[in-house]
Amino acid sequence: MKSPLTDSGEDKPNPSTKPTKISMEKRRKTIPEDTIMEILARLPKKSIARFKSVSKTWNSETESPYFLRRYLSLHPNSSTWSLMFITMPDHPITEAIGFHGGGDTWDLPNSLASYVLPFQPYPNVPTVSNYYVASSNGLIWIEVFLTFHNRRSFVGNPVSKQWVEIPPPPNPCTPTGLVTRVENGVVTSFKVVRTCSSDLDESVWKVYVYSSETGLWTFKQLSSLCPVEGSDPPVNVDGKLYLWEEDTRVEPLWENFDRKEFGFLVAYDFYGDDDHCQVVPLPIPDNKYVRRCLTTSRGDVMYVEILYRRLKVWRLINNADDESELLWELSLGEINLASVGFDVFCFPLAMNPFNDDIVYLWSREHGCVVTGNLQTLEFVVHQESENRSTNGGCCRFNKFDSKRYMDGFRDETSTSVVILSQFVLPPLMDLDHLVPRLPHTRY
């Protein structure tokens, strides 16, 4: 029996008739791909992880740099990160500030630093100590001392508990830094960098570099205008290490340069082909009483200095006329802390990894962490170790343990630079693709 006709003479669709695969495909194609990606970018992380398995197209699109940028713009507080003091002989790894993003895929019940140590790679073998060395894009490098003369190196993610053991270098050398390569939101490789002992040739930085792609160590001699000791922890961005160095040469590098009052930033791209380091002086302070820190935010290297209650934030940029040259750009105008009602003695600690309007300071007067908003000029003193809820997440401030480290900066004439390590869990990274596999190596 034929179905009734409409006024136009066409058959009414039968609701009991199941749509064919062709008709469903036609309907799906009526929705533009950019609209689909816009919808997906607004979903929680767990939903995005499920949709990645729907099709190869969606999997590829949700791993694209564009999608990641769009997701982060819509979910600015979605990442989980930690700012940590590096391991010292008399202090274990300590989290100064930790942020747990709202709706995080990782669902961490504890602070991020609590997953780093204790680390026990050999359950039946006791260890003397563990040293946190560096971090990059969700991976960390830990040195494990089985005895005082027997150490092992591991790179991995403490949350997913995926680790690979790194073979020892051909010759003894100092741990320096860790760099990674990221493609479509996935860490495809990492490199471990160790600095060799310095010799009479001050213009060469000698390093051993271990690559996860080859599973081998490579010896490199990098030319640098400034001697590199590699003793201070570097910061890393996009495969580059940035090291703060003092000029220890007998003759000054440039005319009218007083090496005692400021140093240099030495940068090298360990995924590049050039063997020349970039060298740029830190912004020249007015005198030796400046307090400063080296950090990163939104993928840029940042330098923060405080002198006589005046706060300045500098951003490292490439020279538009010569990309091989690095320059410092004043991010904002000078902020007089006394004029905004915050006339206290502070050290800069770091900046928020994802918000370059937020700076973290250490108040010697209060003995605790201070959060400063560079746009609103609002400064908040965190008197006790606390968990502070913010839009979309929870921030944890560790007063007691941080104080033990900052007590080492009591000398007001110190020209040291505070450098906290950033351990950031990638916002949308697949748990199964956190640690690149080494050639002929098992987890």
Side-chain angles (χ1 to χ4, degrees):
M1 181 176 177
K2 295 184 66 176
S3 59
L5 296 177
T6 62
D7 292 340
S8 61
E10 297 179 351
D11 288 347
K12 287 184 177 180
N14 188 345
S16 64
T17 304
K18 186 177 180 180
T20 64
K21 182 177 181 180
I22 296 178
S23 64
M24 292 178 67
E25 184 70 17
K26 287 182 178 179
R27 292 179 186 178
R28 192 188 72 80
K29 287 184 177 179
T30 60
I31 305 177
E33 288 294 334
D34 57 348
T35 303
I36 295 177
M37 290 302 104
E38 186 69 20
I39 295 172
L40 291 178
R42 298 173 185 273
L43 296 176
K45 292 181 182 179
K46 289 184 177 180
S47 298
I48 295 175
R50 289 196 301 266
F51 279 115
K52 288 167 67 73
S53 62
V54 171
S55 69
K56 292 182 178 180
T57 300
W58 283 17
N59 180 71
S60 175
E61 291 289 345
T62 54
E63 291 182 349
S64 67
Y66 167 80
F67 182 82
L68 182 59
R69 288 194 300 269
R70 183 56 179 156
Y71 179 86
L72 291 177
S73 69
L74 294 170
H75 308 271
N77 294 320
S78 62
S79 297
T80 293
W81 51 264
S82 176
L83 298 176
M84 297 187 288
F85 293 101
I86 63 168
T87 306
M88 299 173 64
D90 53 343
H91 295 306
I93 181 67
T94 295
E95 180 181 62
I97 306 164
F99 183 82
H100 186 199
D104 195 347
T105 303
W106 306 79
D107 291 329
L108 303 182
N110 302 312
S111 68
L112 190 55
S114 66
Y115 293 87
V116 178
L117 297 177
F119 174 57
Q120 191 72 28
Y122 308 111
N124 299 323
V125 180
T127 59
V128 174
S129 60
N130 297 329
Y131 283 81
Y132 170 96
V133 180
S135 174
S136 178
N137 286 303
L139 301 184
I140 66 171
W141 172 10
I142 288 183
E143 293 277 287
V144 177
F145 285 78
L146 302 179
T147 66
F148 287 105
H149 302 288
N150 183 8
R151 69 167 65 180
R152 306 290 176 88
S153 298
F154 293 84
V155 172
N157 182 281
V159 178
S160 67
K161 299 181 179 179
Q162 298 175 2
W163 297 95
V164 292
E165 184 171 354
I166 309 301
N171 295 299
C173 42
T174 305
T176 303
L178 176 70
V179 294
T180 51
R181 171 179 285 168
V182 178
E183 297 178 2
N184 296 329
V186 176
V187 176
T188 58
S189 68
F190 65 82
K191 292 187 177 182
V192 170
V193 181
R194 289 179 173 271
T195 298
C196 302
S197 301
S198 58
D199 51 25
L200 297 178
D201 190 353
E202 296 180 330
S203 64
V204 177
W205 178 23
K206 298 179 180 180
V207 295
Y208 275 109
V209 182
Y210 179 85
S211 171
S212 65
E213 296 176 334
T214 63
L216 301 173
W217 286 95
T218 302
F219 179 69
K220 297 178 71 71
Q221 300 188 77
L222 310 174
S223 62
S224 172
L225 293 175
C226 175
V228 180
E229 294 184 359
S231 56
D232 289 291
V235 298
N236 66 80
V237 176
D238 296 334
K240 266 188 178 182
L241 286 184
Y242 297 83
L243 300 93
W244 173 72
E245 296 287 343
E246 292 182 292
D247 187 9
T248 57
R249 304 192 327 173
V250 177
E251 297 296 329
L253 186 58
W254 286 304
E255 187 177 358
N256 300 324
F257 168 67
D258 186 353
R259 71 180 62 84
K260 296 181 180 179
E261 295 192 5
F262 65 94
F264 287 91
L265 196 65
V266 179
Y268 181 73
D269 184 359
F270 283 89
Y271 283 98
D273 298 325
D274 195 358
D275 286 337
H276 296 272
C277 297
Q278 295 172 289
V279 178
V280 58
L282 295 182
I284 301 176
D286 295 334
N287 62 39
K288 61 185 178 181
Y289 294 100
V290 67
R291 283 90 63 194
R292 51 201 179 177
C293 79
L294 190 65
T295 182
T296 63
S297 182
R298 294 173 61 90
D300 292 326
V301 175
M302 312 291 286
Y303 170 84
V304 186
E305 67 176 28
I306 298 178
L307 181 64
Y308 300 135
R309 273 82 165 166
R310 289 177 170 83
L311 171 68
K312 292 182 180 179
V313 177
W314 303 79
R315 186 187 309 273
L316 190 65
I317 62 173
N318 287 314
N319 188 341
D321 299 325
D322 183 2
E323 292 188 356
S324 64
E325 182 182 5
L326 297 174
L327 301 173
W328 291 105
E329 177 183 69
L330 191 62
S331 181
L332 293 169
E334 178 182 281
I335 298 176
N336 188 333
L337 296 177
S339 67
V340 297
F342 195 71
D343 189 15
V344 298
F345 187 82
C346 289
F347 277 93
L349 289 178
M351 298 195 70
N352 186 296
F354 295 96
N355 187 343
D356 53 8
D357 290 334
I358 304 298
V359 63
Y360 301 108
L361 314 175
W362 177 261
S363 169
R364 177 173 295 177
E365 178 179 320
H366 301 93
C368 60
V369 177
V370 176
T371 298
N373 189 310
L374 303 179
Q375 292 293 336
T376 65
L377 301 183
E378 179 184 7
F379 290 82
V380 178
V381 178
H382 305 284
Q383 291 282 10
E384 302 293 338
S385 294
E386 62 181 44
N387 293 321
R388 179 183 176 87
S389 295
T390 60
N391 293 331
C394 178
C395 203
R396 179 180 183 272
F397 300 92
N398 186 341
K399 173 184 176 178
F400 177 76
D401 291 325
S402 297
K403 187 177 185 302
R404 294 189 301 166
Y405 283 84
M406 293 310 298
D407 283 347
F409 289 88
R410 287 192 176 278
D411 180 9
E412 295 187 9
T413 64
S414 172
T415 58
S416 300
V417 175
V418 178
I419 304 176
L420 270 63
S421 178
Q422 291 185 359
F423 179 26
V424 180
L425 293 182
L428 291 174
M429 188 169 292
D430 190 339
L431 287 172
D432 295 329
H433 298 88
L434 282 174
V435 184
R437 290 188 178 273
L438 306 185
H440 313 296
T441 302
R442 295 183 299 174
Y443 286 108

